[in-house]
Amino acid sequence: MINIGLMGLGTVGSGVYEIINNRRRFFEDEIGEKIKIKKVLVKNKNKNRNIDIDDKLLTLNPKDILDDPEVDIVIDVLSEKEIAYDYLKYALENKKHVVTANKAVVSSKMEELLYLSKENNKAFLFEASVGGGIPIINSLKQGIKADDIFQIQGILNGTTNYILTKMYEKGICFKDALKDAQDKGYAEADPTDDIKGYDTGRKLAILSTIAYNQPVDSKFINCRGIDEISIEDINEFRKLKLVPKLIGSSQRSDNHIYASVEPLLVKDESFFSNVKDAFNIISLRGYNTGELRFYGQGAGKNPTANSVVLDVLDIVKGTYTNGKVYENRKISGDKYLTFDGEYYLRLSSKDGKDNNYLLNILNMYNSKHKVINDKESLIVILPWTSENLINKMINEIKLNVEDIRYFYSGIYG
């Protein structure tokens, strides 16, 4: 008998409970072992839940799980980062296997928790922390055994992808699209981590750390969010047949790791443009395999819960692989990824200055720009430039403009 302590019974936690409870006989036939959830940690026993569960399984005390010698595996689907970290650390020190979906904990504490798992000969698995139902973590662990991964690109956040899809397809502003996402349960009441790109940054840090065999700290990943995109931009994007997507990108080159998260403009026939609503896609490039793409639901109750349960089954079968432990931590995500290529640039002047003033400054930096719109804001396409050059130009003119927005619209086909 394998006993599980489930910490959290929210959206994902209830999904985990239902899968294990409903398929327990199949698991027993498949792996020859009974799997049972012995205790479930909740905040409120009296809360109305759309799930059939015995009240006797519920507990308010984490020690009923963490200190129970009969509990073999601790599953963390809690939302609180600090609490979850303390519980996971305690569980590993208490010689219990750990499975978590908490990307905030994994991205910031991966090395420490992997070290504890090694010291105590237990598993620390986190497939559900990136990509929801997409089996990307285990695929990466297997892939790097033979291949040399040098680039990652992906739409890693379902909330922002849903918002951008609605903005583009319905022609609505960011505020209205965000409210729609909140009404449908895709966005939290406080959506800051999603819309500012921080959630994508954490997931990118996890993938990059595994892919490049070198720790990447999300604190050193430059993040720009989707709240910079206006309805005016959306209208111009559609005319240009370009689609905005929040994309996390990293690459390894010359013993450095470069990473960034920002809205990029992709061609409307590209594979990125066809990833809509809450779906995710992750592209890996390796010297042996070339490009591999992983596509699926990036969030939601059942896809994420399924990834959690797959980690549990790997533990029960003894087929799991822990990640590498880095004895000497070296922060490697300290160089931002910048792009050379075509850029979309929108400038809104202030203090009565006309667009000719802005055009004159642009000529100093890039004489080949193409004016797309000069009625209200000045919108231009810069045919070939770098993000570093754009930043220098922005510093030159920012005192004379009310608003500046730029988006890379280069080679993504």
Side-chain angles (χ1 to χ4, degrees):
M1 172 72 74
I2 301 297
N3 288 309
I4 294 173
L6 177 60
M7 309 187 79
L9 197 60
T11 301
V12 177
S14 61
V16 171
Y17 177 82
E18 288 173 341
I19 292 174
I20 291 177
N21 194 51
N22 295 339
R23 294 181 62 81
R24 62 185 184 277
R25 291 182 181 175
F26 171 79
F27 294 151
E28 184 177 352
D29 292 339
E30 182 73 13
I31 60 182
E33 190 79 61
K34 290 184 178 181
I35 302 176
K36 182 182 77 172
I37 294 181
K38 187 178 182 185
K39 278 293 179 182
V40 181
L41 179 67
V42 296
K43 291 181 180 179
N44 181 0
K45 284 187 176 183
N46 299 318
K47 179 181 177 180
N48 291 325
R49 296 180 172 86
N50 296 321
I51 182 173
D52 183 18
I53 186 169
D54 188 345
D55 289 345
K56 294 180 181 178
L57 291 180
L58 305 181
T59 180
L60 302 175
N61 187 354
K63 291 194 173 183
D64 288 342
I65 292 173
L66 299 174
D67 286 336
D68 185 346
E70 294 184 353
V71 170
D72 305 290
I73 303 171
V74 173
I75 297 176
D76 158 45
V77 283
L78 298 168
S79 57
E80 299 91 341
K81 172 185 171 182
E82 291 78 12
I83 294 175
Y85 162 68
D86 291 338
Y87 293 166
L88 298 186
K89 181 180 178 182
Y90 189 95
L92 288 169
E93 290 173 338
N94 220 13
K95 302 192 181 303
K96 300 183 186 300
H97 297 289
V98 163
V99 174
T100 182
N102 195 319
K103 62 257 184 186
V105 172
V106 176
S107 64
S108 61
K109 302 293 183 181
M110 184 194 301
E111 181 186 6
E112 178 184 355
L113 295 174
L114 283 174
Y115 178 80
L116 285 173
S117 69
K118 180 181 178 181
E119 285 289 292
N120 292 283
N121 196 28
K122 296 297 176 183
F124 173 60
L125 304 181
F126 42 88
E127 181 65 70
S129 66
V130 179
I134 303 173
I136 185 63
I137 300 295
N138 282 326
S139 297
L140 257 182
K141 288 178 181 178
Q142 291 298 318
I144 62 174
K145 291 179 180 179
D147 203 358
D148 192 6
I149 306 297
F150 63 87
Q151 186 183 68
I152 301 169
Q153 295 172 328
I155 297 172
L156 301 172
N157 183 275
T159 299
T160 53
N161 203 49
Y162 179 88
I163 291 171
L164 290 175
T165 299
K166 297 312 169 191
M167 289 178 70
Y168 192 83
E169 293 185 346
K170 294 186 177 182
I172 60 177
C173 68
F174 169 78
K175 182 179 179 181
D176 290 342
L178 172 58
K179 185 178 185 304
D180 180 40
Q182 290 172 324
D183 290 343
K184 288 185 169 60
Y186 289 117
E188 301 288 343
D190 180 2
T192 302
D193 279 2
D194 292 324
I195 65 175
K196 291 293 187 181
Y198 305 142
D199 176 81
T200 297
R202 294 184 188 112
K203 294 172 182 175
L204 183 64
I206 293 170
L207 294 178
S208 300
T209 295
I210 298 170
Y212 308 139
N213 281 312
Q214 202 171 335
V216 176
D217 194 324
S218 61
K219 293 184 296 184
F220 294 92
I221 297 178
N222 190 36
C223 295
R224 293 174 55 212
I226 65 168
D227 53 335
E228 297 183 357
I229 301 174
S230 71
I231 190 64
E232 182 181 12
D233 294 321
I234 291 292
N235 292 333
E236 295 299 333
F237 296 161
R238 292 160 86 176
K239 294 176 188 176
L240 296 166
K241 295 185 178 181
L242 296 172
V243 182
K245 294 293 180 182
L246 184 71
I247 294 178
S249 306
S250 74
Q251 65 184 45
R252 181 176 48 78
S253 177
D254 299 327
N255 295 320
H256 290 290
I257 295 173
Y258 303 84
S260 72
V261 174
E262 59 184 297
L264 302 179
L265 304 181
V266 302
K267 297 175 183 178
D268 63 358
E269 74 272 15
S270 73
F271 67 88
F272 274 126
S273 72
N274 291 316
V275 179
K276 300 181 179 182
D277 295 328
F279 281 80
N280 285 186
I281 191 166
I282 303 164
S283 166
L284 307 177
R285 290 184 184 271
Y287 289 106
N288 297 336
T289 57
E291 184 180 21
L292 297 175
R293 297 174 187 170
F294 299 80
Y295 171 81
Q297 293 192 52
K301 174 181 176 178
N302 292 329
T304 307
N306 193 73
S307 290
V308 170
V309 175
L310 288 176
D311 276 346
V312 171
L313 295 179
D314 276 346
I315 292 172
V316 176
K317 292 185 292 184
T319 56
Y320 70 88
T321 301
N322 274 331
K324 182 177 178 181
V325 177
Y326 304 95
E327 300 291 348
N328 297 308
R329 182 170 180 81
K330 176 185 176 184
I331 296 176
S332 55
D334 55 351
K335 291 188 174 292
Y336 299 148
L337 180 65
T338 60
F339 299 96
D340 293 337
E342 186 176 275
Y343 275 84
Y344 168 100
L345 178 66
R346 172 168 58 84
L347 304 169
S348 302
S349 61
K350 67 178 180 179
D351 299 332
K353 292 187 180 294
D354 60 23
N355 289 332
N356 286 329
Y357 170 81
L358 299 177
L359 284 169
N360 287 334
I361 296 178
L362 285 177
N363 281 325
M364 295 169 54
Y365 288 90
N366 193 315
S367 60
K368 297 180 180 180
H369 58 264
K370 179 181 179 182
V371 177
I372 301 300
N373 194 326
D374 63 354
K375 294 178 181 178
E376 295 182 8
S377 300
L378 175 63
I379 300 176
V380 301
I381 295 293
L382 304 177
W384 187 267
T385 188
S386 69
E387 193 167 359
N388 286 331
L389 184 61
I390 285 182
N391 284 321
K392 289 180 181 178
M393 181 175 61
I394 286 173
N395 287 331
E396 174 82 18
I397 64 177
K398 64 183 178 182
L399 295 178
N400 297 293
V401 295
E402 184 176 327
D403 193 23
I404 304 173
R405 294 289 183 264
Y406 69 90
F407 306 102
Y408 178 70
S409 60
I411 61 175
Y412 286 88

